[in-house]
Amino acid sequence: MAYLHLFWPEGGALPRMQALDIFHMDTGGCTGCGLELRAVSRALDAGNAAIRFVSTPRQAGLLLLTGSLSVEMAPVVELAWQAMPGSRLLAVVGDCAVDGGVFTPSYAVLGGVGGRAQASLSLPGCPPAPAMILEALIRWRTGQDKQPPAA
Amino acid sequence: MTLRGLVGAGRPAACAGRFELGADGWRMMVEALPRSTARLCGLWSDGMQVHALFHDGPGPFMASVAVPEGRYLALSPARPGAEAHERMLHDLWGIEAMGAVGTAPWLDQGQWGVTWPLRERAPPAPPPPEGVEFIDGAAMERAGGTMLGHGPAEGGFHAPLHLRLGLPGEGITQVRPRMGYAHRGLCARMRGNTLAGGARLAARIDAGATVAHQLAFARAVTAASGVDTSCPLAIFPAELERVATHLDSVAQMAELQADGRLANLAATLLEHVRQLGHAVYGHRLLFDVVPRRDAAAPAPEMMAALHEGCATLRRLFWRPRGLATQLLGRGVLSAGAARQWGIGGCVGRASGIEADLRAQDPAYAPGWLTPPPRSEGDMTARLSTRLHELGESVRILGNAGVMPEPPVPAQCVDGEGLGMAEGPAGPVWHWLRVEDGRIAAWWCGDPSLAQIQALPAILHGAVYEDVEPILTSLGLSAAGADL
């Protein structure tokens, strides 16, 4: 698909990645991050990438949360986390999920998962562009985010 | 006497078009409701009064009644669409509707930690509700059918809501929505906020209709300060948003029905539109674009490509054995049901309801808006209406290419105002009261709430596999409905 380039900015092909199944949950936000994640999902599908979005937490290795964690979604997030098998990872995308964003403080919002749990991948932005999400995901998945950037 | 006449007999209030009625006046208005054709667009409170917003041919008008005892006469026996509003009023304020059709909590599932959160000084309150108790009907129990849940976590990218679906046989006969998962307490956040902070928050109510919410909020602010409410600049971002949201719906629908070519093209065009939004306004999803002074004009070849792409989309949609044929007669929303629940917007137009706030906007030239090709109310009609409006909006974008300077924002004066805008899914309303330069009371009406209430009528008889496509074709957003 032509609309999102699955190439590094330097022009080379994407590095080979381990397979990763992602379960996405909107925990009470404006769904803007969801719209951008849908674009990412379409690009990954079109590129036959090993990373994909799945429709049940029982199949997922990574729980990706967006939104400011409304009080009523908190038990649902807990259930989804408990339903994930084996070693599981947590990612938070967007300002709301990182620290609550514009919706805190409020009686109905707990203020993002990023401040309450250790996330493997944390990406701020309102919302981050799909290219940024994809790049963060790939850098993290290939372990490049741990190395200092080449001069 | 017409409903407008009955309401107009009340005492004119600070807001243009709002009239304060006594208890008797309110009762007469409720009694006149069954004979009236005016659409109920909202029901809300500021703690002292309960306000009802109606819309008919000449425009919107509001009726208010004081609620010193915390009670008012319910509208839901005459207007079923008022039920969710009444239940939300009780959840947030503890104000009761006398004679209401439903009294169960709508938003409050007993998790908030406060009861009636919007009250200034809560009286000794009963303990929070235990959450919704689902009671299956006798027909359902006799049949011994299956209960299936849908949501709130489906792995999709939409806002969370839960539907409890009862299937005695193949078709769905019972639908119970459970809302509140996406409730962020926006009304409490708005209260006491500055106008700039309020505008920032309004842009983040629902990303699919962010420009409509921003516009309606800005118009409410200008109406509150008592100056001219026309905003000609706003045509361009509003139509750009409509194009993006309709393209997204078409792409999702094509993905669900495994129509690869249509999905591919719609997703590619959508990405182009998002990039256009970034180039013109500096934000892909058009957050915080109203009011804005530095907007670059779009490239003409971009508009030509969009125009051509929309024509190809329509051709692919209507091709033999294409999406149009597959979706024919599924997920029908009849004109009667749409009228009963007060559904407007593009979903209402697909059912043959004439409701478009843009028709009264002087910024839209006559002849720009044309009736949709189908009015059967099924998924084909809804999708073809979206494709039709897509072409229309792209044409309008071409015509409205020259962007005039935005009007200078008025000095903030205390007052009260109502603002409206036609979003991609339907009419968006904002009402606010400004005191000392800050928002003292605020309400927002989103088209999704009426659609969620109409879901039992739309999903009745559908198979379980059709639930996701029907929700997609409606384009409803729980984020807008829950606030």
Side-chain angles (χ1 to χ4, degrees), chain A:
Chain A
M1 211 178 278
Y3 57 85
L4 248 182
H5 298 290
L6 281 177
F7 292 98
W8 257 172
E10 297 83 31
L14 287 183
R16 180 175 286 276
M17 287 169 293
Q18 285 176 308
L20 178 65
D21 289 346
I22 305 174
F23 184 70
H24 166 254
M25 278 175 80
D26 186 319
T27 61
C30 72
T31 68
C33 296
L35 291 184
E36 299 294 46
L37 280 169
R38 189 179 279 140
V40 172
S41 159
R42 281 175 185 148
L44 289 169
D45 276 353
N48 279 330
I51 301 179
R52 58 175 186 164
F53 285 85
V54 293
S55 61
T56 163
R58 295 190 193 284
Q59 211 181 330
L62 174 75
L63 183 65
L64 197 159
L65 298 177
T66 60
S68 53
L69 189 62
S70 69
V71 177
E72 289 168 0
M73 274 307 277
V76 186
V77 172
E78 179 65 28
L79 281 177
W81 181 251
Q82 297 301 341
M84 288 168 68
S87 58
R88 52 207 165 171
L89 298 163
L90 179 70
V92 288
V93 167
D95 282 347
C96 290
V98 171
D99 64 358
V102 290
F103 301 118
T104 48
S106 165
Y107 62 91
V109 158
L110 292 173
V113 177
R116 295 169 174 265
Q118 184 71 39
S120 311
L121 176 69
S122 173
L123 183 64
C126 188
M132 278 171 65
I133 301 175
L134 201 57
E135 193 179 322
L137 212 55
I138 291 166
R139 277 199 197 282
W140 167 70
R141 200 59 188 149
T142 50
Q144 291 188 6
D145 59 337
K146 306 224 169 43
Q147 298 161 5

Side-chain angles (χ1 to χ4, degrees), chain B residues 75-308:
Chain B
L75 306 186
S76 50
R79 284 280 190 280
E83 188 191 334
H85 294 285
E86 287 167 357
R87 287 163 68 178
M88 276 159 81
L89 260 175
H90 187 259
D91 288 350
L92 297 174
W93 292 96
I95 299 174
E96 269 181 69
M98 293 184 288
V101 170
T103 50
W106 181 266
L107 288 178
D108 191 352
Q109 299 176 10
Q111 307 269 357
W112 287 345
V114 283
T115 309
W116 306 342
L118 294 185
R119 282 225 176 165
E120 296 282 348
R121 283 184 298 275
E130 293 278 317
V132 186
E133 189 184 344
F134 292 111
I135 301 160
D136 301 328
M140 194 59 213
E141 276 173 12
R142 268 202 306 279
T146 322
M147 301 305 299
L148 288 176
H150 185 271
E154 292 283 310
F157 300 102
H158 46 74
L161 83 165
H162 176 72
L163 296 178
R164 185 177 150 101
L165 307 165
L167 294 92
E170 192 192 17
I172 296 166
T173 59
Q174 180 188 310
V175 181
R176 299 276 159 84
R178 180 175 178 179
M179 306 300 294
Y181 293 103
H183 179 73
R184 290 149 285 165
L186 283 174
C187 202
R189 287 285 296 142
M190 279 283 186
R191 223 161 44 177
N193 215 329
T194 57
L195 290 177
R200 201 174 143 69
L201 214 51
R204 284 156 182 82
I205 289 173
D206 177 14
T210 168
V211 178
H213 279 284
Q214 290 172 57
L215 266 179
F217 184 84
R219 285 175 181 159
V221 171
T222 29
S225 40
V227 291
D228 183 26
T229 53
S230 62
C231 189
L233 172 86
I235 252 196
F236 197 86
E239 293 305 317
L240 198 61
E241 171 181 77
R242 197 180 318 280
V243 168
T245 305
H246 284 347
L247 277 173
D248 203 9
S249 300
V250 172
Q252 279 179 58
M253 202 63 173
E255 279 161 9
L256 282 172
Q257 302 295 323
D259 188 339
R261 283 167 74 192
L262 192 63
N264 228 330
L265 180 61
T268 309
L269 287 175
L270 173 65
E271 186 58 29
H272 284 158
V273 171
R274 296 257 191 255
Q275 286 171 3
L276 179 67
H278 188 259
V280 175
Y281 291 103
H283 199 291
R284 285 169 53 87
L285 298 182
L286 305 174
F287 285 4
D288 307 322
V289 300
V290 179
R292 194 184 189 94
R293 297 192 144 266
D294 52 337
E301 58 266 29
M302 185 80 180
M303 300 311 299
L306 254 181
H307 197 80
E308 197 181 323

Side-chain angles (χ1 to χ4, degrees), chain B residues 373-434:
Chain B
R374 293 177 69 87
S375 57
E376 282 81 356
D378 55 358
M379 283 199 271
T380 303
R382 284 198 280 277
L383 261 259
S384 64
T385 305
R386 279 179 196 276
L387 283 167
H388 170 79
E389 290 186 6
L390 195 59
E392 219 170 64
S393 294
V394 170
R395 259 199 311 283
I396 294 175
L397 283 179
N399 290 336
V402 185
M403 281 177 277
E405 277 284 299
V408 180
Q411 276 296 315
C412 175
V413 186
D414 291 1
E416 200 182 299
L418 177 77
M420 55 187 151
E422 180 77 17
V428 171
W429 305 88
H430 278 245
W431 170 90
L432 54 75
R433 181 182 295 149
V434 183

